[in-house]
Amino acid sequence: MSAVAERLADIRARVAAACARAGRPVESVTLVAVSKLKPEALIRDAYAAGQRDFGENYAQELRDKAAGLEALAGLRWHAIGALQTNKVKYVARAAHAFHALERMDVARELSKRRMEAPLPCYIEVNLGGEQSKSGLRPEALGAFLEEARTLPGLRLEGLMALPPPTGDGEQARGHFRRLRELAREHGLTGLSMGTTHDFELAIEEGATLVRVGTAIFGERD
Ligand SMILES: *Cc1c(COP(=O)(O)O)cnc(C)c1O
């Protein structure tokens, strides 16, 4: 068994335990294995162990890995990093979901390129105030959604957040709870939240996708 397969088995068990604590079916949570900056060989190891959802931050890296791993049937790429309009084409071509929607010009470009197969999207929300730079402020969400909902090439699934790493579980839980409430206020059901350090708390607070990198693939350089 590869090291990645062993770590994946451990993470899956922790996901299942968190689901059990929250009284949620385990199928209600998608584990996205964040493979940014990691070689294709490790993605193949994870795929061989049954993993199908992978997260990448950088558009060109996503493009290259999607091409290199094209033969792996059923693999789903999640673009999870900030995106600029000149790189939209890579994400539009390769991604099965986009988790970091926060700019209307990017939304329009993505929509144009996905008319035939609307792209599932999560709007990134900045819950950390000054500490984190990416994402929409909660009060800007309503106006953004109103316009984004008119774009035929996007499917607005939910909200995404990357709360500042506090090391404080209760503070992280508060962020996740806030994201869940915001989603509900805006009629969205998807919640992309929780990483290596806090994915179990995120599941307890309703995450539908968790994005775990380090705990599966090891530390990044
Ligand atoms: C890198 C990254 C992750 C994974 O973080 P880990 O701490 O390695 O689990 C999740 N979400 C986003 C947006 C990231 O950039």
Side-chain angles (χ1 to χ4, degrees):
M1 205 174 173
S2 68
V4 164
E6 277 174 28
R7 293 197 204 109
L8 256 179
D10 173 58
I11 298 299
R12 286 187 188 127
R14 289 169 58 189
V15 166
C19 284
R21 282 197 297 280
R24 302 179 53 191
V26 74
E27 312 78 54
S28 65
V29 179
T30 298
L31 172 62
V32 177
V34 177
S35 47
K36 64 180 172 204
L37 307 177
K38 294 293 178 181
E40 288 178 16
L42 295 188
I43 298 176
R44 289 182 190 278
D45 285 348
Y47 182 89
Q51 181 65 28
R52 291 295 177 268
D53 292 275
F54 292 88
E56 288 287 340
N57 281 58
Y58 310 105
Q60 278 113 322
E61 187 179 352
L62 169 61
R63 171 198 63 193
D64 295 344
K65 284 176 169 169
L69 298 169
E70 206 174 25
L72 302 185
L75 189 156
R76 291 178 291 272
W77 293 109
H78 297 251
I80 65 172
L83 186 59
Q84 278 154 16
T85 46
N86 60 341
K87 294 183 184 152
V88 159
K89 53 182 179 283
Y90 305 131
V91 167
R93 240 174 254 153
H96 293 74
F98 179 47
H99 293 233
L101 190 64
E102 56 167 339
R103 287 171 48 169
M104 194 49 67
D105 55 353
V106 167
R108 286 196 205 96
E109 274 302 310
L110 273 174
S111 174
K112 256 192 248 168
R113 292 166 186 273
R114 292 290 297 237
M115 293 293 193
E116 306 299 314
L119 181 67
C121 287
Y122 297 80
I123 297 171
E124 183 169 358
V125 180
N126 178 346
L127 295 172
E130 295 307 300
Q131 294 159 283
S132 54
K133 287 166 221 87
S134 57
L136 289 178
R137 303 289 305 146
E139 55 275 18
L141 205 47
F144 187 89
L145 261 168
E146 196 176 331
E147 191 170 352
R149 281 185 165 128
T150 67
L151 299 173
L154 305 185
R155 225 171 64 203
L156 298 169
E157 298 280 352
L159 302 181
M160 178 273 219
L162 185 63
T166 57
D168 174 346
E170 282 317 299
Q171 203 173 328
R173 191 186 287 281
H175 277 111
F176 295 143
R177 203 168 277 172
R178 177 93 181 94
L179 195 70
R180 185 184 67 208
E181 282 162 9
L182 274 173
R184 190 176 42 77
E185 281 168 26
H186 291 283
L188 295 165
T189 52
L191 286 171
S192 171
M193 59 188 195
T195 67
T196 288
H197 298 289
D198 49 23
F199 69 90
E200 289 149 304
L201 286 175
I203 290 170
E204 289 175 22
E205 296 302 332
T208 59
L209 300 99
V210 291
R211 308 179 309 269
V212 179
T214 308
I216 296 171
F217 296 111
E219 294 288 342
R220 289 176 295 271
D221 297 329

